[in-house]
Amino acid sequence: MTFKEFRKNKVVRFLSNRYILILLLFLVWMLFFDENSYLNHRELNRERSKIKNTIEFYDDGSEYDKKLIKNLQDPDSLEKFAREEYKMKRKDEDIFIIDFDSIKEK
């Protein structure tokens, strides 16, 4: 195939049109090299979804803490919480803590 035959090809004629070339250059520039390129948008969307996930995580933790604080307003539940979480006891009590993880099963 000679160069003249190559230039007469429909696809080559279409792509060698100056408007098509300008359009292709513009698209390549906007997709890859521009400050607002597709690649930057994709990276920013990933970062935004990570931030949304952390916000949801902390909102759930906040809701749990609010329920816990509301529940700890009752003296009986406060005493139960202190006994279970902080191993507190009354003056005349003895507490035996059994750790089930340390017992080996045979």
Side-chain angles (χ1 to χ4, degrees), residues 18 34 54 63 85 106:
R18 80 173 91 165
D34 192 45
T54 56
E63 290 298 320
E85 294 295 320
K106 293 183 181 182

Side-chain angles (χ1 to χ4, degrees), residues 23-89:
L23 178 67
L24 288 176
L25 287 172
F26 176 75
L27 289 176
V28 168
W29 180 264
M30 292 306 287
L31 287 175
F32 299 108
F33 300 117
D34 192 45
E35 184 177 322
N36 300 319
S37 70
Y38 170 74
L39 301 175
N40 287 343
H41 277 280
R42 192 174 67 178
E43 183 179 332
L44 290 173
N45 284 338
R46 285 183 187 161
E47 186 176 341
R48 187 177 71 187
S49 66
K50 286 180 185 178
I51 290 172
K52 281 184 179 181
N53 289 339
T54 56
I55 287 172
E56 289 176 10
F57 172 76
Y58 286 120
D59 282 344
D60 293 342
S62 175
E63 290 298 320
Y64 172 76
D65 290 341
K66 285 178 185 177
K67 289 178 185 177
L68 183 63
I69 289 171
K70 186 177 180 182
N71 190 22
L72 292 179
Q73 300 298 323
D74 182 33
D76 293 333
S77 63
L78 180 64
E79 182 180 348
K80 179 182 176 185
F81 180 80
R83 288 172 176 268
E84 290 176 356
E85 294 295 320
Y86 297 108
K87 313 295 189 258
M88 293 184 168
K89 64 178 186 126

Side-chain angles (χ1 to χ4, degrees), residues 6 13 15 18 20 35 47 59 66 93 95 100 102:
F6 180 71
R13 277 193 0 227
L15 290 177
R18 80 173 91 165
I20 300 298
E35 184 177 322
E47 186 176 341
D59 282 344
K66 285 178 185 177
E93 280 185 332
I95 296 179
F100 291 105
S102 64

